[in-house]
């Protein structure tokens, strides 16, 4: 069991740890159908085909609640309509075509703490181009970008419960067969 948890932590750490850092310093553009904006409390409630773009980050949901702290940090809660999911996609540092994608019924992100939480039907994938290199899915996924630690729980409440759901990790091989072995195998 400890080995499975360690593998899960490593897979999740590699998913989000290197999100493109420059994105946090870029302006955000948010498109939506309807909105309620309260400047006194720095709260924006946006509904209907919400699409947020900030650098390489692309977020989509049916509803977004965006709060801004006095220091300028964003607290974002994305909620999907029944039967749908909220989603994000962001380029990762470390290469020209590295991406992280995720989806869930609800996604919460605290920019100050750099913690993202995915609730209900949570899926996070790491991609190199279009090739999936790892995937984690479960009822609840929480990832701390600063400490590079993740938790995957069997209940969307963020707790493990007896009889709760199951989670899965898929890790694709990172290495390929050496050219000589591949050529020899092809001749057989």
């Amino acid at each position: 069991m400890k080995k499975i948890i360690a593998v899960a932590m490593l897979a999740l750490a590699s998913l989000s740890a290197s999100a493109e850092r420059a994105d946090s310093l870029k302006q955000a553009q948010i498109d939506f159908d309807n909105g309620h904006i309260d400047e006194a409390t720095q709260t924006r409630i946006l509904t209907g085909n919400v699409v947020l773009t900030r650098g390489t980050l692309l977020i989509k949901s049916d509803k977004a609640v965006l709060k801004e702290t006095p220091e300028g940090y964003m607290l974002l809660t994305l909620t999907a309509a029944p039967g749908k999911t909220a989603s994000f996609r962001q380029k990762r540092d470390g290469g020209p075509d590295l991406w992280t994608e995720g989806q869930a019924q609800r996604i919460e992100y605290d920019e100050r703490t750099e913690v993202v939480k995915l609730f209900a039907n949570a899926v996070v994938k790491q991609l190199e181009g279009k090739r999936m290199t790892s995937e984690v899915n479960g009822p609840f996924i929480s990832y701390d970008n600063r400490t590079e630690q993740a938790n995957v729980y069997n209940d969307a409440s963020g707790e493990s419960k007896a009889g709760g759901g199951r989670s899965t990790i898929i890790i694709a091989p990172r290495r390929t067969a050496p050219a000589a072995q591949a050529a020899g195998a092809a001749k057989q």
Side-chain angles (χ1 to χ4, degrees), residues 28 30 36-38 41-46 52 54 63-69 73-78 109 111:
I30 309 170
H36 174 77
I37 299 166
D38 183 339
T41 63
Q42 291 297 297
T43 302
R44 296 153 184 94
I45 301 171
L46 313 172
L52 181 147
R54 186 178 196 182
K63 179 180 179 182
V65 177
L66 174 66
K67 295 181 181 184
E68 193 171 346
T69 68
Y73 292 103
M74 288 196 296
L75 303 167
L76 181 63
T77 301
L78 307 168
Y109 179 67
E111 188 177 40

Side-chain angles (χ1 to χ4, degrees), residues 97-139:
D97 203 13
L98 303 176
W99 296 88
T100 298
E101 294 181 346
Q103 65 181 35
Q105 287 288 301
R106 186 173 88 236
I107 301 173
E108 295 178 359
Y109 179 67
D110 184 333
E111 188 177 40
R112 179 193 316 253
T113 62
E114 295 186 36
V115 172
V116 63
K117 296 177 182 178
L118 295 91
F119 299 84
N121 302 319
V123 178
V124 179
K125 296 179 184 179
Q126 181 177 8
L127 304 166
E128 292 180 9
K130 293 184 180 184
R131 185 177 79 85
M132 189 269 302
T133 58
S134 64
E135 176 181 321
V136 178
N137 67 62

Side-chain angles (χ1 to χ4, degrees), residues 80-95:
K84 292 183 165 185
T85 57
S87 66
F88 70 89
R89 177 178 168 89
Q90 185 172 30
K91 186 178 182 308
R92 297 188 333 265
D93 287 332

